[in-house]
Amino acid sequence: VARALELQLGTRDRVDHERPPNGNMAAYEALLRGRAKYQALIIDDFPEAARLYREAIRLEPDYAMAYAELAGVLANLARFRSGAERQSTVDALRDVAHRVMALAPDFHGSHLAQGFVHAALGEHERALAAYRRALDLAPNDPRTLHNVAMKLGELGREEEAIPLSRRAVELDPLNVNLRVTLADLYQWNGQRDMAGETLREALGIAPDHPNALVGLGWLYYTTGQYDLAESHIRRALEVDPGREAWKTFLAHAVVGARGLEAGWRVLEEALAAQPGHPAILATMAELQLAHGNTAAALEYARRGLDADPNQSTAAIMLASALSMLGHLDEAEQGARNFLALRPAAMGL
């Protein structure tokens, strides 16, 4: 009866792969510790989570679940790295995804891992197809529902995404990350009230959850409540100081609260710590352009794209600055080149 119920609910796939295939309980303990370290999504904890998953694999070399969850950590690490460091992380992700697929081709986690590789390479429709295949294998797995919903949202298909994201929250109501994703989808769909309600519910569960704090902070920014935006984003950065990209949100909030010069200081301090951070360079280009410093904006935008060719804000600022300087053909060609790389990019 229990097995029939698991099949009906779509949870059998996870149950079958949860414990190590040879029963090594030290490997299972390492997996659980890695999962606990990773679940708050604090960047500085990612390397330790990856180490623990690799320890589980060392103890149980055929442990598909450990490979699948390691793939998730590597996918997130790749999002916050650039240049050679990012490429080496993507290469490691590809190797892990290949290994888990060879071990367990009918495991939903194997297809999630393949999707993570496609997403890291900018192959968004292929990523979505892999996530959908994972959902076919585990139709009530919250993490899989989350990944399908998030990718649909990134492709501008929020109406399809929101019901899946709601279902993920229903299945795992204490998972704050799922609520943050749902709030993002609401906001992208123009439902700010629902986004705010969802984020406040998330913070009711975990008052210092950094993703929920920064999400609510950005919502405050979009509604002109700059002081509240600044306080929430600063608190998020206190909890998760590794999120250098959030300093771009902080800079916007500070500009709204205290003016452009104050916002520049936030970015200058961030660039002093990380001179090649692509998102910070792109935001500096944006603020320079807003202040009429077109040549400076062009320089920062080029540096941002040199650091990360996938940086959409930098690409937008580069095209805008080139246009303002009269280089229309170069601006158009640059925009076309970027859209060929990132067809889902908005604003170009």
Side-chain angles (χ1 to χ4, degrees):
V1 173
R3 183 174 180 85
L5 182 60
E6 287 164 350
L7 290 169
Q8 180 182 349
L9 294 175
T11 58
R12 186 73 224 172
D13 181 60
R14 173 169 285 279
V15 171
D16 284 345
H17 292 91
E18 176 71 10
R19 290 181 178 270
N22 295 311
N24 188 317
M25 294 312 294
Y28 187 46
E29 181 182 349
L31 177 133
L32 293 177
R33 290 171 60 207
R35 190 179 288 169
K37 181 62 72 172
Y38 180 57
Q39 68 179 21
L41 294 182
I42 293 175
I43 287 181
D44 289 346
D45 289 343
F46 290 177
E48 176 62 10
R51 187 195 69 77
L52 287 163
Y53 284 125
R54 291 189 188 280
E55 175 65 8
I57 291 165
R58 185 188 69 78
L59 294 166
E60 275 275 10
D62 294 339
Y63 199 172
M65 183 65 82
Y67 278 104
E69 295 192 13
L70 174 60
V73 178
L74 294 173
N76 261 315
L77 275 171
R79 290 176 55 217
F80 299 106
R81 291 176 172 173
S82 59
E85 190 179 26
R86 182 182 189 278
Q87 186 57 55
S88 67
T89 305
V90 173
D91 290 343
L93 169 60
R94 187 186 288 111
D95 291 344
V96 168
H98 179 76
R99 176 60 176 156
V100 70
M101 184 62 75
L103 282 172
D106 294 325
F107 173 37
H108 79 281
S110 302
H111 295 273
L112 285 179
Q114 290 293 320
F116 297 153
V117 174
H118 291 309
L121 296 175
E123 300 167 357
H124 301 291
E125 291 292 348
R126 294 184 71 184
L128 178 59
Y131 297 155
R132 286 196 184 280
R133 176 57 182 147
L135 192 59
D136 289 341
L137 292 166
N140 286 305
D141 179 63
R143 181 176 179 228
T144 306
L145 285 160
H146 155 83
N147 280 287
V148 175
M150 197 66 186
K151 186 53 65 180
L152 285 168
E154 290 170 359
L155 292 170
R157 295 157 63 180
E158 295 91 352
E159 294 292 341
E160 294 177 65
I162 286 171
L164 297 173
S165 188
R166 283 178 181 154
R167 179 63 178 148
V169 170
E170 290 169 1
L171 288 164
D172 192 358
L174 296 181
N175 188 322
V176 175
N177 297 316
L178 300 180
R179 291 181 186 270
V180 172
T181 295
L182 178 57
D184 285 342
L185 293 168
Y186 280 137
Q187 186 160 352
W188 297 346
N189 201 39
Q191 300 180 58
R192 288 179 177 172
D193 289 346
M194 291 298 295
E197 179 182 332
T198 303
L199 288 166
R200 291 183 185 93
E201 289 172 351
L203 289 170
I205 297 167
D208 277 336
H209 193 284
N211 285 281
L213 283 165
V214 84
L216 190 56
W218 189 247
L219 189 62
Y220 282 134
Y221 171 79
T222 64
T223 55
Q225 300 177 75
Y226 302 124
D227 289 335
L228 280 171
E230 181 181 350
S231 64
H232 279 71
I233 296 168
R234 284 195 185 279
R235 179 57 186 150
L237 282 164
E238 288 172 4
V239 177
D240 191 357
R243 299 266 187 169
E244 291 292 332
W246 285 353
K247 291 180 181 175
T248 65
F249 300 156
L250 178 61
H252 282 292
V254 169
V255 167
R258 298 199 297 282
L260 197 58
E261 295 290 339
W264 272 344
R265 285 195 294 274
V266 171
L267 293 178
E268 285 167 353
E269 291 172 6
L271 283 174
Q274 286 203 319
H277 194 288
I280 298 171
L281 288 164
T283 303
M284 182 63 95
E286 188 177 2
L287 293 187
Q288 293 284 356
L289 199 63
H291 201 58
N293 299 331
T294 310
L298 184 64
E299 178 189 348
Y300 280 114
R302 288 193 193 281
R303 286 172 58 191
L305 280 174
D306 286 344
D308 180 5
N310 291 295
Q311 228 301 324
S312 56
T313 300
I316 293 166
M317 292 304 106
L318 179 63
S320 299
L322 287 169
S323 297
M324 290 178 181
L325 292 169
H327 306 303
L328 299 180
D329 290 343
E330 187 180 353
E332 181 179 355
Q333 188 58 53
R336 290 184 184 280
N337 291 343
F338 187 81
L339 284 171
L341 182 68
R342 289 281 306 277
M346 300 176 68
L348 278 168

